[in-house]
Amino acid sequence: MIALVDCNNFYVSCERVFRPELEGKPVVVLSNNDGCIISRSNEAKKLGIKMGEPAFKMEKFLTENNVTCFSSNYALYGDMSQRVMDTLREEAPEIEVYSIDEAFLNLSGITDLYTFSENLRKKVIRNTGIPVSIGLGATKSLAKVANKEAKNSDGVFIIDNEHLCKAVLMNTPIGKVWGIGRRYQKKLLNYHIDNAFQFSQLNDNWVKKNMTVVGHRIQRELRGEPCISIEQAPPAKKVIATTRAFGNKLTNKDLIKEAVATYAVRCAEKLRKQHSAANLLTVFIHTDPFSTSEIVYHKSQTVILPIASNHNTILVKAAYKALDAIFYEGLRYKKAGVIVEAIVPDNNLQGNLFFDGDQSKLNKISVVNDSINSHYGRDTLRLAAQGTSKEWKLRQQKLSKAYTTKLNEIIEVKS
């Protein structure tokens, strides 16, 4: 059996761990720059607050209904996610971390699945304070379906017989099936296929022809045939991007260079984490696309690196070169981003006679850099190019403390 463990209202739950007085009250978490609502407590959902609602349009409603709002605290959420996943690893023989708040578990060999799942839920709560729902099925796709049912029951739901499987699939809209995107949903609805069970009973050849091998794999999974295995080591990403909207619109090139340098460093960190290096780096900048009073400008520039690299200095130099080629004076820029591509393993790089950098020295610097920042916190050691300005950083007016990652913000318990 495969289990999908999903943290309930994860971002909100992380905030409530350190603010227990918010239990039972409406709480929401906002996206970058405090833009839209991206996580809601059950109480907030009952008020009719929808996912993706712009916060500024809801300001009066949120105040009138005493809804507590938080800016996204990604350092906190990432650390709490790690604690949840570490707890799951202690109990499950195999685990695939699917996202920041979801993990698939292989429960082969476990006989009393319900007792195991209930005990696991209690352990996660005890270790982290985060409530989870657990759905179990013969395949990953059925575990996904079961998890949705678990959220509406007592937290654990097991699809363990054909009759129950049929009933649950008939109650699952086709658009809610894992892997069925909007395009396939529209196509299937045109053929009056509106639930998961109907999809599972379609002719195999029709599905292969109209939805490719991937669609057929999902169909077989819904029938109880395992086709998607547990990936304990996720594959390396082929493209890595760091993009952000600025907290304020910027005209000063030096400030934008600080932001672009920081984004390039973030890409370098992600490359090193998966033991990869990139051959191409792209920088883009643009003004506000929704402005009716300003020039709309969107440009990007790609630079070929002299040698595939994951070093901060090399990527920042390339990012500066790309930015210089597209920066236009006098505009108010809203967003910038750095994207690295043509990614290869970092243990077998093609050399370049015209590259005068000392790879061995750069590797040692990266090891020391990552070690210090891992121990003392991100950007404890950073390039001067990253600057200290806050003008380009995300607007986070409702940011909670870094309770678990900064010693000076650790929670205090008073008797």
Side-chain angles (χ1 to χ4, degrees):
M1 282 291 245
I2 303 295
L4 175 64
V5 180
D6 187 8
C7 301
N8 300 340
N9 309 324
F10 181 57
Y11 291 175
V12 165
S13 294
C14 289
E15 300 290 354
R16 278 177 163 175
V17 168
F18 303 96
R19 293 282 303 277
E21 75 274 14
L22 295 177
E23 281 294 333
K25 297 179 180 179
V27 181
V28 298
V29 174
L30 308 178
S31 64
N32 291 344
N33 285 317
D34 296 343
C36 300
I37 294 167
I38 57 172
S39 183
R40 305 160 295 161
S41 67
N42 291 336
E43 296 77 13
K45 294 174 185 177
K46 289 179 181 178
L47 288 174
I49 299 173
K50 297 179 181 178
M51 185 71 83
E53 286 271 15
F56 76 93
K57 290 185 178 180
M58 298 284 293
E59 191 170 348
K60 183 179 178 182
F61 179 87
L62 297 174
T63 301
E64 289 175 347
N65 288 276
N66 296 315
V67 179
T68 302
C69 301
F70 289 98
S71 302
S72 294
N73 189 339
Y74 296 119
L76 175 65
Y77 308 153
D79 187 68
M80 294 300 291
S81 172
Q82 186 65 49
R83 295 176 186 217
V84 171
M85 301 309 167
D86 286 345
T87 300
L88 299 180
R89 286 189 182 93
E90 293 175 2
E91 301 297 324
E94 284 184 284
I95 175 174
E96 174 190 337
V97 179
Y98 182 65
S99 67
I100 192 171
D101 62 347
E102 292 177 288
F104 287 105
L105 311 181
N106 184 347
L107 301 186
S108 300
I110 295 174
T111 53
D112 190 343
L113 293 167
Y114 187 85
T115 299
F116 173 87
S117 299
E118 269 299 318
N119 290 338
L120 184 59
R121 288 183 70 240
K122 292 175 182 176
K123 184 172 183 177
V124 173
I125 281 279
R126 184 170 65 250
N127 287 5
T128 69
I130 302 295
V132 299
S133 298
I134 304 177
L136 297 90
T139 68
K140 290 172 80 171
S141 295
L142 287 176
K144 270 277 192 180
V145 172
N147 189 272
K148 295 184 186 303
E149 296 294 326
K151 290 184 182 298
N152 297 320
S153 58
D154 61 356
V156 176
F157 192 90
I158 306 174
I159 299 178
D160 55 2
N161 62 72
E162 289 187 15
H163 178 74
L164 179 61
C165 183
K166 179 179 179 180
V168 172
L169 292 182
M170 289 183 70
N171 195 43
T172 302
I174 191 62
K176 297 294 183 180
V177 175
W178 182 43
I180 301 294
R182 290 184 180 180
R183 185 165 64 90
Y184 283 144
Q185 177 188 6
K186 184 177 180 181
K187 179 189 284 280
L188 290 167
L189 288 175
N190 286 338
Y191 284 92
H192 306 291
I193 306 300
D194 57 14
N195 65 58
F197 179 74
Q198 291 175 326
F199 174 63
S200 71
Q201 300 304 302
L202 283 174
N203 179 275
D204 289 33
N205 291 328
W206 186 91
V207 174
K208 289 178 185 177
K209 180 180 178 181
N210 290 276
M211 300 181 66
T212 71
V213 175
V214 176
H216 186 232
R217 190 178 299 151
I218 296 169
Q219 181 193 39
R220 291 172 60 196
E221 286 252 322
L222 293 176
R223 292 173 178 171
E225 303 174 38
C227 299
I228 308 173
S229 59
I230 296 285
E231 295 182 354
Q232 295 188 68
K237 294 180 179 179
K238 297 180 180 179
V239 177
I240 291 175
T242 301
T243 69
R244 297 283 187 275
F246 302 136
N248 301 290
K249 292 182 180 180
L250 301 177
T251 58
N252 188 312
K253 185 179 180 181
D254 288 337
L255 293 177
I256 296 175
K257 287 177 71 175
E258 286 185 10
V260 167
T262 300
Y263 302 161
V265 168
R266 295 288 175 262
C267 288
E269 291 169 348
K270 294 173 185 177
L271 285 167
R272 293 196 295 272
K273 189 173 182 179
Q274 68 175 31
H275 304 291
S276 300
N279 283 287
L280 301 176
L281 181 145
T282 300
V283 171
F284 74 81
I285 52 175
H286 67 70
T287 57
D288 187 346
F290 303 107
S291 176
T292 57
S293 59
E294 300 177 5
I295 296 173
V296 176
Y297 178 83
H298 191 304
K299 283 286 184 179
S300 65
Q301 179 71 29
T302 300
V303 174
I304 300 174
L305 301 177
I307 183 172
S309 180
N310 57 20
H311 301 301
N312 294 355
T313 52
I314 292 178
L315 266 61
V316 169
K317 287 179 181 178
Y320 277 179
K321 182 178 179 181
L323 179 63
D324 287 340
I326 58 177
F327 183 82
Y328 190 85
E329 293 283 356
L331 299 180
R332 286 165 27 101
Y333 293 97
K334 178 65 176 175
K335 188 175 183 179
V338 175
I339 304 166
V340 292
E341 303 172 85
I343 294 174
V344 296
D346 66 359
N347 59 359
N348 189 22
L349 302 179
Q350 177 67 45
N352 186 336
L353 289 173
F354 303 101
F355 177 66
D356 58 4
D358 186 336
Q359 285 290 92
S360 176
K361 183 178 180 180
L362 289 172
N363 287 336
K364 290 178 182 178
I365 292 173
S366 292
V367 170
V368 173
N369 184 91
D370 292 342
S371 176
I372 291 174
N373 287 336
S374 175
H375 186 77
Y376 293 103
R378 174 181 274 182
D379 289 338
T380 298
L381 182 64
R382 65 176 185 267
L383 297 177
Q386 294 176 248
T388 58
S389 173
K390 295 183 179 180
E391 289 187 49
W392 55 269
K393 294 185 178 179
L394 294 175
R395 190 184 307 114
Q396 295 176 302
Q397 297 177 342
K398 305 175 188 295
L399 186 66
S400 57
K401 293 182 179 180
Y403 298 105
T404 64
T405 54
K406 287 186 179 179
L407 284 174
N408 63 324
E409 294 187 11
I410 195 170
I411 195 166
E412 295 182 12
V413 179
K414 299 179 180 179
S415 58

